[in-house]
Amino acid sequence: MNCIFCAIAGKEIPSDIVFEDESVIAFRDISPAAPVHVLIIPKEHIASVREISGTNSGIIAHIYEIAVQLAKELGIFDKGFRMVTNCGEDGGQTVGHLHFHLLGGRSLKWPPG
Ligand code: 5GP
Ligand code: ZN
């Protein structure tokens, strides 16, 4: 499968990894939209949050646990941060492998464009 995030998870493409365990990898976004911009992904190829069901939803809880840990480590826990997953065309998803953006380090606007 030709998936850039599978290639990052498999270390075929280098990335600035900030966390890794057996099921998840987190790395800095190549085009950061905030002072802290990390992508947290399951190592397993899941196309988007649309593919989440009772059989694989445990990974979402695990990813959020890691996000909180990373927010502390990266210094954005106290002032706050944003976790977001874009899904599909209207959601603005550009990479077809489930990923959560962890953003912080500046005051983020709402609503998004
Ligand atoms: P999406 O638009 O799908 O929600 O987010 C995809 C994100 O992946 C974008 O923020 C983009 O900058 C990031 N991205 C795309 N290709 C690469 C890459 O090769 N390496 C890294 N570190 N980030 C990437
Ligand atoms: Zn993939």
Side-chain angles (χ1 to χ4, degrees):
M1 189 191 312
N2 189 16
C3 171
I4 193 163
F5 284 180
C6 280
I8 285 176
K11 315 276 174 63
E12 296 146 38
I13 293 178
S15 67
D16 186 355
I17 296 166
V18 295
F19 175 87
E20 181 175 11
D21 68 10
E22 63 288 346
S23 58
V24 168
I25 189 162
F27 51 94
R28 293 191 191 269
D29 196 293
I30 203 165
S31 178
V36 175
H37 188 173
V38 166
L39 301 172
I40 310 173
I41 72 169
K43 287 184 173 176
E44 178 196 357
H45 183 85
I46 299 172
S48 80
V49 78
R50 285 184 292 219
E51 279 66 45
I52 294 297
S53 68
T55 60
N56 62 3
S57 59
I59 193 73
I60 304 296
H62 186 51
I63 283 172
Y64 266 85
E65 236 178 90
I66 292 158
V68 171
Q69 180 188 318
L70 283 174
K72 287 177 184 162
E73 288 173 13
L74 299 172
I76 57 172
F77 183 87
D78 288 337
K79 287 202 84 178
F81 53 89
R82 184 171 295 165
M83 270 281 277
V84 63
T85 184
N86 298 323
C87 176
E89 190 184 343
D90 277 1
Q93 184 178 6
T94 60
V95 177
H97 180 130
L98 177 64
H99 53 283
F100 288 81
H101 299 255
L102 173 63
L103 296 149
R106 68 173 172 84
S107 179
L108 299 163
K109 302 285 174 281
W110 190 263

